[in-house]
Amino acid sequence: MIEISQYNSSEQTQWDDFCDSAKNATMLHKRGYMDYHSDRFSDFSLVATDGDGKIVALLPACRQGSTVISHAGLTYGGWLLPLRHFDATTMLEVMDAAVKFLRGQNATELIYKPVPHIYHSYPAEEDIYALFRHNARLAACNISTVIPLDEPLSPDRGSKSAASAAARNGVTVETNASFTAEIDEFWSVLSTLLRDRYETTPAHSIAEIKLLQSRFPSNIRLITAKMQGAIVAGVLLFVTAGVAHCQYIAASPAGKQGKANALMFHKAIEWAKAERLRYFDFGTSNEAGGRVLNEGLIQQKSRLGGRGIAYPTFSISI
């Protein structure tokens, strides 16, 4: 018998402990990460327990009106599942109980963003089957570009040439850049790029990213490319569950002219391989829920050896 309840802040320790042993949880699902933007999202996370009160699954989620979203403030949410004593039959019970619970809470829709398989420490797609059984529809689909680091494709000739040109132009890359010392300068490059090209701002404020890095210092790291001592390009990585994910990528006009990104990514990928990570995830290249593809951006990523991984979003009518 599965019981569903809404998460309470008094359960933070149990939540985080479960994430530590789950087969598909990452840093993004820890309460220290989820709760940093609690002022923007109304938390509606769910806890599934068995007849003995033991947690069997967690659903990071928030609520917007009658819609429950797993999770609007996260790249991916979805049910977090244990490694042992859990299979598709239990998953169906959990999903059935959750839908019944949400119906009782006057919710009419569940927007569900499963954890992409590259972030699984062990196969964990029982939730995809449960979505099918509940007649879920594909509501959105973004595509990310990923390199499997155990057997990566070589960058194409143009990418190698650009990296060599960057070195000749005096670009140097620091894979162990000091976050504290250099985040402000990188953030200036990033903010200027987003403002001038896209008329937008980073999803995180500089204060928020500093707070998160203080909470997860081994998971959030900065790689920078410099010319004459100044940062001209950088990538902020979220390192989770064997994956280096590019959360923010930016280059200044001087960095673009000097081909800094090419050399920076060559060095970043080498670093990730040396750290024995499994994947290097460049991130998605979409807008409008995946209906708009930034073709130039995704082609740049593919030239470095990356290939496509889908980030789907599903909808269930409650």
Side-chain angles (χ1 to χ4, degrees):
M1 178 66 71
I2 300 297
E3 296 289 338
I4 303 294
S5 60
Q6 189 176 344
Y7 166 79
N8 185 285
S9 59
S10 65
E11 300 171 301
Q12 178 176 346
T13 298
Q14 297 95 311
W15 180 287
D16 286 347
D17 287 347
F18 186 89
C19 285
D20 286 336
S21 61
K23 61 183 179 178
N24 62 339
T26 73
M27 171 194 75
L28 274 65
H29 302 122
K30 292 289 194 75
R31 298 312 308 194
Y33 188 95
M34 289 182 59
D35 293 343
Y36 88 89
H37 48 24
S38 58
D39 58 325
R40 280 181 277 166
F41 300 99
S42 179
D43 191 88
F44 204 80
S45 298
L46 303 183
V47 179
T49 55
D50 62 16
D52 297 323
K54 180 182 178 181
I55 297 176
V56 296
L58 299 174
L59 185 69
C62 62
R63 183 162 184 165
Q64 297 178 0
S66 62
T67 299
V68 174
I69 307 169
S70 180
H71 181 296
L74 303 178
T75 307
Y76 44 79
W79 283 106
L80 309 179
L81 308 176
L83 177 61
R84 298 185 182 277
H85 311 300
F86 191 99
D87 58 25
T89 58
T90 312
M91 183 72 255
L92 289 176
E93 293 179 22
V94 168
M95 191 68 88
D96 290 347
V99 168
K100 182 179 179 180
F101 175 83
L102 292 175
R103 192 176 292 130
Q105 297 293 313
N106 298 315
T108 59
E109 182 183 27
L110 171 63
I111 301 296
Y112 188 95
K113 299 187 288 186
V115 180
H117 72 85
I118 60 172
Y119 292 93
H120 299 175
S121 61
Y122 206 78
E125 293 189 347
E126 290 87 354
D127 60 338
I128 303 298
Y129 177 66
L131 290 171
F132 163 73
R133 290 285 295 267
H134 278 271
N135 300 311
R137 66 177 182 87
L138 185 63
C141 188
N142 293 303
I143 188 162
S144 190
T145 307
V146 176
I147 296 175
L149 296 172
D150 59 343
E151 198 171 354
L153 290 175
S154 296
D156 69 8
R157 185 178 302 176
S159 178
K160 291 178 180 177
S161 176
S164 297
R168 292 194 300 270
N169 292 332
V171 175
T172 59
V173 176
E174 295 183 13
T175 56
N176 292 307
S178 169
F179 181 92
T180 302
E182 301 197 333
I183 187 61
D184 288 298
E185 187 178 355
F186 167 72
W187 213 256
S188 177
V189 173
L190 172 67
S191 299
T192 299
L193 171 69
L194 293 179
R195 182 195 66 213
D196 293 349
R197 177 172 292 187
Y198 303 107
E199 297 183 349
T200 188
T201 58
H204 300 85
S205 70
I206 184 65
E208 288 171 341
I209 208 67
K210 288 179 178 180
L211 173 65
L212 290 172
Q213 204 276 339
S214 71
R215 292 178 177 177
F216 302 97
S218 63
N219 298 104
I220 301 177
R221 63 182 302 123
L222 180 63
I223 293 178
T224 59
K226 295 182 176 181
M227 296 178 70
Q228 298 180 343
I231 294 176
V232 294
V235 54
L236 186 73
L237 297 175
F238 281 8
V239 183
T240 58
V243 182
H245 171 78
C246 300
Q247 184 69 20
Y248 292 109
I249 303 167
S252 68
K256 292 175 184 176
Q257 185 175 0
K259 310 291 185 184
N261 268 0
L263 183 60
M264 178 181 70
F265 278 119
H266 280 257
K267 296 294 186 182
I269 293 164
E270 289 178 359
W271 169 84
K273 289 172 65 177
E275 291 291 310
R276 298 186 178 181
L277 301 177
R278 294 178 293 119
Y279 295 100
F280 192 92
D281 182 0
F282 287 99
T284 58
S285 304
N286 302 98
E287 298 174 31
R291 297 193 179 279
V292 176
L293 177 66
N294 187 327
E295 297 181 5
L297 181 58
I298 204 166
Q299 288 169 2
Q300 291 175 25
K301 297 172 180 178
S302 68
R303 293 187 189 110
L304 289 161
R307 295 297 183 268
I309 293 291
Y311 277 49
T313 299
F314 297 91
S315 172
I316 297 178
S317 295
I318 303 300

